[in-house]
Amino acid sequence: MGYIEENLKEVEANIQKACDRAGRDRKEVTLICVSKTKPVSDIRQAMECGQTYFGENKVQEIKDKTTEITESLHWHMIGHLQTNKVKYLPGRVDMIHSVDNISLAGEIEKQAAKAGLVMDVLCEVNVAGEDTKFGLTPDATADFIKEIASLSHIRVRGLMTIAPYTDDPESNRGYFRTLKSLMTDINAMNIPNISMDTLSMGMTGDYEVAIEEGATFVRVGTGIFGERDYSKKN
Ligand SMILES: *Cc1c(COP(=O)(O)O)cnc(C)c1O
């Protein structure tokens, strides 16, 4: 058994245990295998283990990998997105997790309309207020969603956050709880077209805590594919 298969077994067991602790059905949580910087051969190994959700953070890598891998998979754009690159995504990805400004939302609307589809999106929220991270402040999120709610080629499915990098996953529990209550509060505003059901939160270091706090997507890279090497171009 290769290390990717072994890691996937371990991650799966951890997801199940977190669901059990929280009294949640395993089916409520979808594992996104974050394959950024990793070769197509790694993705194929994960596919052989039954994985169909893959997350990438660079448009060029999504273009390359979706060209090489023609099997039908669920590709998710999870990284910061520049407006001028949006045009490559409709038809290639199922969901964009990183919508945090009006001009980006407007461009997704335009490109999705052009492709004749409705794009599922999540609004990225910088819950911990880290300077280094993109995303809306929690306070600005409801108004932002009101502003984009009428765009007919965008479906706002929920919220996403990237919690601080930490050795102590418990320290992120409060951020995950905040994201969930923000979604509940915004749903309660009865904004036309807005009924969110998706929380993308939790990475290798903290996905179990995120599941306990209500994550529906966890984004796990290192825990499946091993450390990333940014020094060499793949
Ligand atoms: C890289 C990345 C991940 C995965 O991080 P790991 O710590 O390797 O699991 C998750 N979400 C986003 C947005 C990322 O860019």
Side-chain angles (χ1 to χ4, degrees), residues 23-88:
R24 299 184 64 196
D25 187 330
R26 170 67 187 86
K27 290 190 189 68
E28 293 173 25
V29 181
T30 300
L31 172 63
I32 299 180
C33 304
V34 177
S35 46
K36 65 190 190 195
T37 79
K38 297 294 179 181
V40 162
S41 55
D42 283 11
I43 296 175
R44 291 213 171 276
Q45 283 189 53
M47 287 165 67
E48 276 168 31
C49 300
Q51 298 301 314
T52 57
Y53 285 80
F54 292 90
E56 292 283 343
N57 69 340
K58 294 223 155 46
V59 171
Q60 186 60 50
E61 229 174 306
I62 289 173
K63 283 172 69 181
D64 292 346
K65 286 173 173 170
T66 56
T67 302
E68 207 170 323
I69 304 176
T70 52
E71 286 91 337
S72 125
L73 294 173
H74 303 282
W75 293 97
H76 284 222
M77 173 58 184
I78 61 174
H80 178 64
L81 179 55
Q82 286 169 319
T83 304
N84 63 344
K85 303 219 169 123
V86 170
K87 59 177 178 279
Y88 301 109

Side-chain angles (χ1 to χ4, degrees), residues 205-217:
D206 54 19
Y207 65 93
E208 293 152 278
V209 172
I211 290 168
E212 289 170 13
E213 295 303 328
T216 62
F217 281 124

Side-chain angles (χ1 to χ4, degrees), residues 60-232:
Q60 186 60 50
E61 229 174 306
I62 289 173
K63 283 172 69 181
D64 292 346
K65 286 173 173 170
T66 56
T67 302
E68 207 170 323
I69 304 176
T70 52
E71 286 91 337
S72 125
L73 294 173
H74 303 282
W75 293 97
H76 284 222
M77 173 58 184
I78 61 174
H80 178 64
L81 179 55
Q82 286 169 319
T83 304
N84 63 344
K85 303 219 169 123
V86 170
K87 59 177 178 279
Y88 301 109
L89 294 181
R92 283 198 169 91
V93 303
D94 280 7
M95 191 179 277
I96 298 171
H97 289 227
S98 46
V99 177
D100 65 356
N101 68 80
I102 297 290
S103 64
L104 177 59
E107 181 65 13
I108 296 170
E109 166 67 19
K110 181 175 144 196
Q111 296 300 336
K114 210 167 163 184
L117 52 80
V118 177
M119 181 65 81
D120 280 344
V121 306
L122 305 178
C123 297
E124 180 171 352
V125 185
N126 184 0
V127 182
E130 290 179 288
D131 297 342
T132 52
K133 299 233 164 98
F134 294 99
L136 299 149
T137 65
D139 284 347
T141 303
D143 282 344
F144 176 73
I145 289 175
K146 278 181 201 155
E147 268 196 79
I148 67 172
S150 62
L151 300 176
S152 53
H153 299 86
I154 285 184
R155 191 184 297 118
V156 181
R157 294 290 307 276
L159 306 177
M160 176 272 224
T161 198
I162 304 174
Y165 184 80
T166 172
D167 291 332
D168 173 22
E170 278 302 324
S171 67
N172 284 337
R173 186 180 294 278
Y175 299 128
F176 298 141
R177 201 169 282 179
T178 298
L179 194 72
K180 178 162 188 178
S181 66
L182 188 60
M183 183 167 87
T184 306
D185 292 349
I186 295 172
N187 277 337
M189 292 174 181
N190 294 316
I191 303 165
N193 300 319
I194 300 297
S195 166
M196 299 187 287
D197 59 8
T198 303
L199 286 172
S200 170
M201 57 189 196
M203 307 176 21
T204 296
D206 54 19
Y207 65 93
E208 293 152 278
V209 172
I211 290 168
E212 289 170 13
E213 295 303 328
T216 62
F217 281 124
V218 290
R219 311 178 307 266
V220 180
T222 314
I224 296 169
F225 298 110
E227 295 291 337
R228 287 177 290 275
D229 182 358
Y230 287 100
S231 66
K232 61 168 199 272

